[in-house]
Amino acid sequence: DGITEIGAHAFEAYPNVTSIVIPDSVTKIGEKAFNYCQGATSITLGSGLREIGKTAFSDCDALTTISFPDKLETIGESAFLGCDSLSGNLLIPDSVKTIGGSAFANDTNLTGTLTIGSSVASIGNSAFSGCKFTGTLSIPDSVTSIGNSAGTYSGHLLIPDSVTTIGKTAFNGLQFSSISLGKAVSTISQSAFANCTSIHSLDITAVSSSVTYGDSAFHSLRNPN
């Protein structure tokens, strides 16, 4: 207690660590601070944490669950990349503003629901790529940017009126049953919804006529209504 920051690479590749407990005084965990701690089955994040740095916990293969504190604002790029034992649901708290690129990429056992808090402004490239979430995914009104290859999901997708840009292959090949796009969408990039072959309903009635569609934005949808 009393430590406010854990520096970059501080405990990188400590294979025999089985649990990690971050005190409430810590506000930032640096880049690759616990990268490749492959024996860690549990991580407890302190209540004062505001920033998780790039690749901070990537490739922590034994980690099964993660719970974020209510003051957290930033989940850095590749923060939990390749944590392939993480399973079940994932809750991003309302305090989080940024989800970095590849933050949870290749976490293939995340098969429950994904809940994105009400303050998230940007979802980075490939943020949830390779995850296998199911159920209904609601993007909160705070989101303005969804990056390239952002997620893997099945169920229903609602893009709120706040979103202006949907990146390349953002939802390519996902098994949504229905999609509804908000009125502020101005750019739907290349292959953004390509190969979503389970779609039975696609609602773009709210989208402006001036919207820009990239090549193959909706390629190979199978008989949408």
Side-chain angles (χ1 to χ4, degrees):
D1 287 337
I3 292 174
T4 58
E5 181 175 338
I6 298 175
H9 307 275
F11 300 98
E12 182 177 11
Y14 276 40
N16 296 324
V17 171
T18 57
S19 66
I20 298 168
V21 179
I22 307 298
D24 293 342
S25 57
V26 170
T27 60
K28 179 180 179 180
I29 297 174
E31 181 177 350
K32 295 187 177 180
F34 297 95
N35 182 36
Y36 282 110
C37 286
Q38 295 181 314
T41 59
S42 67
I43 296 172
T44 303
L45 302 176
S47 62
L49 187 63
R50 286 175 167 77
E51 179 180 350
I52 298 174
K54 294 180 181 180
T55 60
F57 296 99
S58 65
D59 295 299
C60 288
D61 291 343
L63 181 65
T64 57
T65 61
I66 189 68
S67 179
F68 298 110
D70 292 337
K71 292 182 180 179
L72 185 66
E73 297 179 357
T74 301
I75 299 174
E77 180 181 333
S78 303
F80 294 90
L81 168 70
C83 294
D84 50 19
S85 291
L86 278 177
S87 62
N89 304 329
L90 183 64
L91 171 62
I92 307 296
D94 290 339
S95 57
V96 171
K97 299 176 181 178
T98 302
I99 301 172
S102 300
F104 298 93
N106 300 327
D107 294 351
T108 54
N109 281 307
L110 285 174
T111 57
T113 59
L114 170 62
T115 303
I116 299 176
S118 59
S119 296
V120 171
S122 64
I123 299 172
N125 298 343
S126 305
F128 300 101
S129 178
C131 301
K132 298 178 181 178
F133 295 113
T134 56
T136 299
L137 174 60
S138 295
I139 307 294
D141 290 342
S142 56
V143 173
T144 59
S145 176
I146 299 172
N148 301 343
S149 306
T152 307
Y153 214 101
S154 62
H156 306 281
L157 174 65
L158 171 63
I159 303 293
D161 291 341
S162 58
V163 171
T164 60
T165 302
I166 299 174
K168 292 180 181 179
T169 65
F171 301 100
N172 182 16
L174 306 191
Q175 300 305 306
F176 290 111
S177 57
S178 62
I179 297 173
S180 179
L181 302 183
K183 64 183 180 182
V185 173
S186 60
T187 302
I188 300 174
S189 300
Q190 179 180 348
S191 302
F193 295 97
N195 304 309
C196 292
T197 55
S198 295
I199 297 295
H200 64 72
S201 176
L202 172 64
D203 184 359
I204 58 173
T205 55
V207 175
S208 168
S209 60
S210 63
V211 67
T212 299
Y213 294 98
D215 292 342
S216 304
F218 295 99
H219 181 70
S220 291
L221 294 195
R222 185 173 295 168
N223 298 321
N225 296 327

